[in-house]
């Protein structure tokens, strides 16, 4: 895939080519050792142990028993449904990212300051964002205080399944739109300004230009963001859920990684946890492959 | 969008979003200096008399400053190692391609978004078995490894933008590959590497999962698990909680504020895709 980058020409002396190979392998060594030893090997171990009744110390091969249990576990079904529900956040993040990017692109007074400010949620830990949002939604907390004049009493936001989910989604959207905005802005920067000028001369309205020029030109970035955010919904909600709801009420906000955490690190069922982790890995792998296959030309698009 | 009215509308909309991203910080700062009783009455009021007692309560009841030090102790070496290893790998992938390199690159690409729990199950067991639980070294190496794929991916597209002719010219002049990396790639790729370094810092500093699992003893606990447990300890004393959140956010906020110019430019250049 990177043949065009093959710098040394074919007729270079054998001696130099050998030296190039020695250098390449030495240079790749740190990354290779760490990635193979601490990621690839453990993935293999997780795969193997998903077919065992591993408790962290001993393990016995039990075939597909773990997977059989998983597919008959009502909680797991709930957990996967939760992940699907949390996908609501994806279009919301996309919309928020697009709106803020388009507004920043107008370059009104202070737009650089706004761009600076919109990044702030992105540099905060999900733990901080999560704890903050959960205090907002405590009974009698900030949100209840705002709603008091409207005649709404104290509402147990985090005790209601749907309200709790929306709090998690809200925190996730707030924390994520900055990244989406950047990706969209960097795509918009590659759009030829002449296109807008030509459209303006033809009398196209601002909306018309947004719909007919901007959005088609950045559609690649929008698709990229969709896939990335779908992946994040499956892999990155752990911290939010841990601090906002601890998976509750009941299992209403428990995600796959959070449930895997509970089964292994709190209940000690490592084999079962390994099977769950493997399922999660397969989902994410499928999405990653889809991402790579859908956008093979990413680097070309982003120019240089 | 030329009219004064529409620009005013855009400005207003931006201001509203800006308030939403800044107000939480102000909320934390103001309430950290109030009393729990005052907060109960009205979370939005200004402090009537400024008090830092929440901060002293935080420091006396939780080893908070130590947890910040623990985080720095893990994050700084991991960021340096990950950025360095990623840049070397990205250099080979773009400028010195070899057969096996592609296999490694695709492996990294496939596991780039992998949920941490997949590797952490066996790693946790391994770490516990070898008596290295609550030891910083495994945490540093695991954080390094987990951040290499994305770092390599980003730096690869970054280094691709460096013309091959520059590398070739250096080679013709007799520079060794190490010299090309050190004297050509690093200086030109510096903004990209800084961006990747900052992203890696944010990733590790802000992570909860790995630190929670690997470093759970009080004398090794990092800042995110400490913060996560604060909310349980101080549900009735929100000002202390706010003090903790603000201090926990300060390092990343400072890093962002100081590097914003380079960081934003790096992100906008398409470095994140």
């Amino acid at each position: 895939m990177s043949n065009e980058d093959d710098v040394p020409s074919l007729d270079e002396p054998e001696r130099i080519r050998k030296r190039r190979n020695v250098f390449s392998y030495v240079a790749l060594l740190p990354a290779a050792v760490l990635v193979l030893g601490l990621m690839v090997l453990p993935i293999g171990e997780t795969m193997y142990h998903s077919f065992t009744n591993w408790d962290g110390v001993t393990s016995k091969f039990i075939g597909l028993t773990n997977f059989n249990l998983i597919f008959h576990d009502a909680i797991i079904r709930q957990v996967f449904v939760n992940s699907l529900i949390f996908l609501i956040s994806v279009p919301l993040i996309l919309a928020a990212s697009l709106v803020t990017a388009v507004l920043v692109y107008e370059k009104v007074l202070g737009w650089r300051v706004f761009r600076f400010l919109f990044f702030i949620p992105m540099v905060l830990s999900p733990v901080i964002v999560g704890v903050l949002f959960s205090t907002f939604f405590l009974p009698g907390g900030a949100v209840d205080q705002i709603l008091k004049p409207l005649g709404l009493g104290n509402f147990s936001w985090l005790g209601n399944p749907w309200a709790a989910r929306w709090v998690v989604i809200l925190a996730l959207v707030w924390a994520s739109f900055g990244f989406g905005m950047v990706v969209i802005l960097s795509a918009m920067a590659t759009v030829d300004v002449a296109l807008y000028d030509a459209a303006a001369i033809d009398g196209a309205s601002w909306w018309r230009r947004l719909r007919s020029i901007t959005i088609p030109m950045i559609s690649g970035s929008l698709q990229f963001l969709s896939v990335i955010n779908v992946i994040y919904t499956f892999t990155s909600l752990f911290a939010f859920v841990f601090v906002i709801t601890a998976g509750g009420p009941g299992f209403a906000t428990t995600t796959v990684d959070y449930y895997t955490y509970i089964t292994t690190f709190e209940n000690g069922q490592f084999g079962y946890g390994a099977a769950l982790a493997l399922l999660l890995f397969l989902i994410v792998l499928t999405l990653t492959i889809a991402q790579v296959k859908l956008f093979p030309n990413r680097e070309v698009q982003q120019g240089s | 969008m030329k009219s004064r009215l529409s620009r005013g509308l855009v400005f207003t909309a931006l201001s509203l979003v800006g308030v939403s991203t800044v107000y939480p910080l102000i909320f934390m700062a103001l309430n950290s200096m109030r009393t729990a009783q005052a907060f109960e009455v009205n979370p939005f009021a200004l402090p009537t008399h400024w008090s830092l007692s929440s901060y002293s309560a935080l420091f006396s009841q939780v080893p908070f400053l130590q947890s910040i030090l623990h985080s720095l102790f893990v994050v700084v070496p991991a960021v340096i190692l990950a950025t360095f290893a990623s840049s070397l790998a990205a250099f080979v992938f773009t400028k010195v391609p070899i057969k096996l390199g592609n296999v490694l690159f695709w492996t990294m690409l496939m596991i780039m978004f992998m949920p941490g729990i997949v590797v952490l199950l066996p790693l946790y067991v391994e770490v516990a078995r070898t008596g290295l639980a609550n030891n910083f070294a495994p945490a540093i190496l695991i954080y390094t490894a987990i951040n290499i794929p994305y770092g390599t991916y980003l730096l690869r597209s970054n280094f691709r933008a460096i013309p091959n002719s520059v590398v070739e010219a250096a080679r013709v002049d007799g520079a060794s590959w190490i010299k090309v990396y050190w004297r050509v790639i690093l200086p030109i790729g510096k903004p990209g590497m800084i961006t990747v370094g900052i992203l890696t810092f944010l990733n590790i500093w802000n992570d909860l999962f790995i630190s929670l699992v690997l470093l759970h003893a009080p004398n090794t606990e990092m800042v995110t698990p400490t913060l996560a447990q604060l909310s349980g300890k101080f549900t009735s004393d929100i000002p202390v909680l706010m003090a903790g959140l603000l201090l926990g956010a300060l390092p990343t906020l400072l890093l962002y504020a100081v590097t914003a110019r380079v960081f934003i430019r790096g992100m906008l250049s398409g470095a994140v895709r």
Side-chain angles (χ1 to χ4, degrees):
Chain A
M1 55 177 299
S2 50
N3 282 336
E4 77 276 14
D5 292 330
D6 211 330
V7 181
S9 54
L10 289 168
D11 51 55
E12 68 181 351
E14 182 67 19
R15 187 176 54 85
I16 293 184
R17 195 151 57 220
K18 243 184 206 146
R19 199 139 39 99
R20 164 164 80 100
N21 281 337
V22 171
F23 168 80
S24 305
Y25 291 116
V26 173
L28 275 181
L29 206 61
V33 166
L34 286 166
V35 168
L36 294 178
L38 296 176
M39 295 185 82
V40 176
L41 211 67
I43 293 172
E45 224 179 309
T46 299
M47 272 182 202
Y48 167 74
H49 280 299
S50 65
F51 301 105
T52 70
N53 64 354
W54 197 26
D55 61 1
V57 185
T58 59
S59 70
K60 204 176 85 212
F61 190 81
I62 53 168
L64 292 171
T65 313
N66 287 327
F67 295 96
N68 207 6
L69 286 171
I70 286 174
F71 290 119
H72 290 94
D73 187 335
I75 297 173
I76 303 264
R77 207 164 307 138
Q78 168 77 63
V79 164
F80 275 96
V81 169
N82 289 341
S83 284
L84 294 180
I85 292 172
F86 283 133
L87 289 179
I88 298 171
S89 65
V90 177
L92 295 178
I93 292 170
L94 247 65
S97 309
L98 182 63
V99 169
T100 47
V102 167
L103 292 179
V104 166
Y105 190 80
E106 286 299 320
K107 301 202 164 73
V108 294
L109 181 72
W111 66 277
R112 279 203 176 84
V113 178
F114 289 121
R115 197 178 59 184
F116 174 83
L117 297 180
F118 296 172
F119 263 68
I120 289 175
M122 216 185 77
V123 306
L124 299 178
S125 171
V127 172
I128 292 170
V129 177
V131 173
L132 193 65
F133 274 70
S134 70
T135 50
F136 286 163
F137 286 94
L138 281 177
V143 172
D144 278 350
Q145 296 263 6
I146 293 174
L147 295 177
K148 212 189 244 165
L150 301 174
L152 292 164
N154 288 357
F155 181 71
S156 175
W157 295 95
L158 301 176
N160 175 297
W162 276 101
R165 285 172 185 144
W166 275 107
V167 173
V168 173
I169 291 171
L170 192 65
L172 180 65
V173 173
W174 187 76
S176 310
F177 82 89
F179 178 81
M181 179 192 75
V182 179
V183 172
I184 293 174
L185 275 176
S186 73
M188 287 176 78
T190 64
V191 180
D192 192 351
V193 187
L195 274 176
Y196 291 112
D197 295 341
I201 290 166
D202 289 346
S205 69
W206 185 84
W207 280 111
R208 176 80 203 175
R209 274 174 278 159
L210 177 68
R211 265 207 352 252
S212 307
I213 303 175
T214 312
I215 292 184
M217 294 296 278
I218 61 167
S219 64
S221 293
L222 293 178
Q223 288 168 339
F224 164 78
L225 280 176
S226 321
V227 182
I228 286 285
N229 280 303
V230 170
I231 293 176
Y232 281 180
T233 339
F234 280 101
T235 61
S236 305
L237 284 183
F238 175 83
F240 288 109
V241 170
F242 188 93
V243 297
I244 299 179
T245 61
F251 288 93
T253 55
T254 305
T255 54
V256 186
D257 52 352
Y258 190 75
Y259 191 64
T260 313
Y261 170 81
I262 295 173
T263 49
T264 46
F265 297 110
E266 284 179 12
N267 300 344
Q269 298 169 296
F270 281 74
Y272 193 65
L276 268 172
L278 185 65
L279 279 183
L280 185 60
F281 176 56
L282 292 179
I283 294 172
V284 173
L285 190 65
T286 312
L287 289 167
T288 309
I289 292 173
Q291 154 76 22
V292 174
K293 291 275 173 221
L294 279 172
F295 319 112
N297 301 323
R298 285 230 65 81
E299 276 100 350
V300 181
Q301 282 179 22
Q302 78 191 29
S304 59
Chain B
M1 263 302 144
K2 286 283 185 283
S3 80
R4 191 166 275 201
L5 175 70
S6 52
R7 294 187 80 80
L9 283 175
V10 171
F11 182 83
T12 312
L14 286 172
S15 304
L16 286 175
V17 183
V19 165
S20 95
T21 61
V22 178
Y23 182 69
L25 298 179
I26 299 170
F27 183 87
M28 289 192 257
L30 289 180
N31 280 310
S32 72
M33 289 180 286
R34 301 174 71 210
T35 61
Q37 291 85 338
F39 178 86
E40 295 275 314
V41 176
N42 182 1
F44 303 106
L46 291 170
T48 43
H49 49 276
W50 305 81
S51 147
L52 292 177
S53 61
S54 296
Y55 289 89
S56 52
L58 177 72
F59 296 150
S60 63
Q61 292 177 47
V62 188
F64 191 80
L65 292 177
Q66 286 93 312
S67 77
I68 297 248
L69 286 179
H70 297 152
S71 276
L72 281 175
F73 198 74
V74 171
V75 177
V76 172
V79 167
I80 294 170
L81 281 172
T83 312
F84 186 64
S86 303
S87 72
L88 274 172
F91 174 47
V92 174
F93 290 148
T94 52
K95 305 298 176 199
V96 217
I98 48 169
K99 276 266 144 42
L100 222 71
N102 261 348
V103 177
L104 186 66
F105 177 71
W106 279 95
T107 310
M108 287 191 186
L109 204 60
M110 288 299 108
I111 59 178
M112 193 159 75
F113 301 114
M114 189 199 51
I117 193 145
V118 179
V119 286
L120 220 58
L121 278 185
L123 287 176
Y124 166 80
V125 170
E126 213 58 48
V127 162
R129 210 186 48 181
T130 47
L132 289 171
N134 291 311
N135 191 311
F136 289 120
I140 293 172
L141 289 178
I142 290 169
Y143 269 126
T144 304
I146 274 191
N147 280 285
I148 285 177
Y150 192 50
T152 307
Y153 175 76
L154 297 184
L155 286 175
R156 178 176 163 274
S157 41
N158 210 276
F159 291 171
R160 274 192 153 187
I162 300 174
N164 287 334
S165 56
V166 180
V167 176
E168 272 167 62
R171 290 292 293 163
V172 169
D173 286 348
S176 64
W177 283 111
I178 301 169
K179 231 182 205 140
V180 173
Y181 168 74
W182 200 254
R183 292 272 161 80
V184 179
I185 300 293
L186 285 195
I188 303 179
K190 204 166 133 198
M193 284 187 64
I194 292 176
T195 307
V196 168
I198 296 168
L199 279 175
T200 311
F201 186 99
L202 294 175
N203 259 349
I204 308 178
W205 184 278
N206 291 340
D207 170 73
L208 172 68
F209 186 62
I210 296 174
S211 54
L212 186 71
V213 169
L214 288 182
L215 302 170
H216 44 73
N219 61 340
T220 56
E221 197 173 70
M222 288 168 67
V223 70
T224 41
T226 307
L227 286 174
Q229 283 147 25
L230 274 188
S231 57
K233 271 183 200 136
F234 294 104
T235 23
S236 54
D237 200 345
I238 303 291
V240 180
L241 188 56
M242 293 299 126
L245 292 185
L246 190 65
L247 289 182
L250 219 50
T252 54
L253 285 174
L254 280 177
L255 177 73
Y256 170 55
V258 169
T259 59
R261 275 174 62 97
V262 184
F263 183 55
I264 293 182
R265 197 182 316 133
M267 300 281 285
L268 284 174
S269 68
V272 285
R273 298 177 293 163

